[in-house]
Amino acid sequence: MTSQETAPPRKARDGGQVSSRLTGIDAARGAALLGMMSTHLLPTFGPAPSWDPTFVGLVFSGRSSALFAVLAGIGLALTTGKQEPRQGGELRAARGGVAMRALVIAVVGLALGGLDVNIAVILVHYAVLFLCILPFLGLRLKALSFWALGWVLLSPVVAYLLRPLLLETTPPLQLGHNPGTEDLGTPGQLLADIFFTGYYPVFQWISYLLIGLVIGRLALTRTKVQLLLLAGGVAVAAAAKVVGFLAMEAWGGRAALEKLPGTRGYPLDSMLQVNLTGLDQTGSWWWLATASPHAGTTLDLLHTSGTAAAVVAFFLLLAAAAENLKVNILMVLSGPGAMTLSLYSAHVWVVSGFTNKPLPAGWTEEGMYWTQALCAVVIGACFALLRRRGPLEWVAHQASRLGSYRPAAVG
């Protein structure tokens, strides 16, 4: 959730020109931030008794958080050699920097986990993803592509087989809340929740970072690559959603799943379109045929990865066009996108102040969202104009520098 690349032509907020590639990546990250904030503050289901999906639920649920994860993989690729991954001592140093950055993110995530807030905080899972991806940072494009494809195809099946075993223990190996410092005392339950039974199952989500690494190893400055990425992303996303729809509606999947006991009050039809969180997804192999948000299935991973690739390509193309026209039209997104760790954390903290409490007189959920979104844009733009990192980004950067430090050779 932090802007990763620090190599030229960007001069790490200290001056100089920001390349269109970095502007596009930051803009995509800013769009993901605003999209995720919308799912936190605006309804994703309509009112009872129909509980029809809302626009926010249909468009942003599942896709915004997946975009964050794919962008993390892209950022890691850009900091570890772009098209040619680092090797030897340079790779070890890069891995040390990533590990220290992950530590900072985990500490922030655990602190936010102690807040009383109705938001599924992603930061601890995000940090664990950084650690899990370390062995893959030295792989080239072809090997990464095979790993990504294999993980997308197999990890949902492995998770489906393991999840019932973890949930049938006494007590179930599931937290039911955001990971916090108190959960460090029950490491087995904490790890099971982070990897398999929680809101962001890391085991399947490794797919997003692998796909991000694949994208980041491409020649992203070339217009042809950007256009192919856009077209390929749209095609994969559409195909996955079509197959998922057919499986549920034409081939009998939804009818079979509706016979299983539910765990939430929303109709299954609406949940399949918006969010499967709250359902154990056990008892039927049909769960693996859904393309629903937060399903963690192969079709879900393909669809959300495809939309993420398309969004990244779109902003890369837009940033290149803006650079040619000598206008910085993307600062409203690239500014907050360059400091998402700080802004996301502030967003969670602010929302915690209103959780389980009435909103101030005259305020609505829509008003809360647009106020926070506007604040994020203004703050991000101000930091960008001043060429400064966000406060938490500065801490993460210093930790990364410490972790990647290599003493100069003597003699």
Side-chain angles (χ1 to χ4, degrees), residues 354-370:
F354 297 94
T355 299
N356 298 322
K357 300 175 184 176
L359 292 176
W363 281 82
T364 63
E365 293 171 324
E366 290 79 7
M368 283 284 291
Y369 170 72
W370 288 111

Side-chain angles (χ1 to χ4, degrees), residues 25-332:
I25 296 298
D26 281 345
R29 194 179 288 109
L33 173 68
L34 297 182
M36 187 176 282
M37 288 170 59
S38 73
T39 63
H40 296 163
L41 294 171
L42 300 175
T44 54
F45 294 95
S50 62
W51 301 110
D52 292 329
T54 65
F55 174 81
V56 170
L58 289 173
V59 174
F60 297 110
S61 182
R63 296 185 181 94
S64 298
S65 53
L67 176 57
F68 265 132
V70 171
L71 285 164
I74 295 174
L76 290 172
L78 297 180
T79 56
T80 55
K82 305 178 183 68
Q83 292 172 263
E84 286 296 326
R86 296 176 184 174
Q87 302 297 326
E90 289 187 348
L91 178 58
R92 289 192 293 272
R95 284 172 171 160
V98 172
M100 288 299 292
R101 186 185 295 269
L103 177 62
V104 171
I105 296 172
V107 169
V108 175
L110 289 171
L112 294 177
L115 299 176
D116 180 16
V117 62
N118 57 352
I119 291 174
V121 179
I122 196 174
L123 294 186
V124 173
H125 307 78
Y126 198 75
V128 174
L129 281 168
F130 272 45
L131 297 178
C132 290
I133 209 67
L134 292 179
F136 302 95
L137 296 182
L139 299 182
R140 289 181 168 81
L141 180 60
K142 184 176 181 180
L144 280 172
S145 299
F146 280 114
W147 271 103
L149 179 60
W151 213 281
V152 167
L153 293 176
L154 297 179
S155 65
V157 178
V158 174
Y160 176 80
L161 294 173
L162 289 179
R163 194 183 303 113
L165 303 178
L166 299 174
L167 294 175
E168 289 170 3
T169 61
T170 304
L173 294 178
Q174 187 178 40
L175 294 179
H177 57 260
N178 288 319
T181 53
E182 71 279 0
D183 298 309
L184 297 175
T186 55
Q189 187 178 43
L190 175 62
L191 291 174
D193 187 273
I194 288 175
F195 277 92
F196 293 104
T197 62
Y199 197 92
Y200 305 106
V202 163
F203 188 72
Q204 292 106 295
W205 276 52
I206 291 173
S207 303
Y208 291 133
L209 270 76
L210 288 171
I211 290 170
L213 282 174
V214 170
I215 295 173
R217 294 281 183 241
L218 301 174
L220 292 178
T221 56
R222 296 177 57 186
T223 302
K224 181 179 179 180
V225 172
Q226 296 167 1
L227 290 172
L228 288 174
L229 187 61
L230 176 63
V234 170
V236 169
K241 190 59 83 172
V242 167
V243 173
F245 177 82
L246 291 174
M248 290 297 102
E249 305 302 328
W251 302 337
R254 181 159 67 93
L257 295 177
E258 283 178 337
K259 297 177 181 178
L260 301 175
T263 58
R264 282 179 62 172
Y266 300 124
L268 180 61
D269 178 49
S270 294
M271 295 186 72
L272 288 171
Q273 298 179 69
V274 175
N275 194 336
L276 287 188
T277 300
L279 298 179
D280 292 339
Q281 297 182 60
T282 59
S284 173
W285 287 96
W286 277 110
W287 288 119
L288 291 175
T290 71
S292 305
H294 292 293
T297 62
T298 293
L299 292 176
D300 174 36
L301 295 172
L302 288 173
H303 174 75
T304 47
S305 296
T307 58
V311 169
V312 169
F314 170 77
F315 281 111
L316 288 173
L317 288 164
L318 192 59
E323 186 177 55
N324 292 332
L325 295 173
K326 307 298 183 183
V327 292
N328 195 359
I329 60 175
L330 288 181
M331 186 177 289
V332 293

Side-chain angles (χ1 to χ4, degrees), residues 363-384:
W363 281 82
T364 63
E365 293 171 324
E366 290 79 7
M368 283 284 291
Y369 170 72
W370 288 111
T371 299
Q372 291 200 35
L374 180 61
C375 287
V377 168
V378 171
I379 293 171
C382 288
F383 272 81

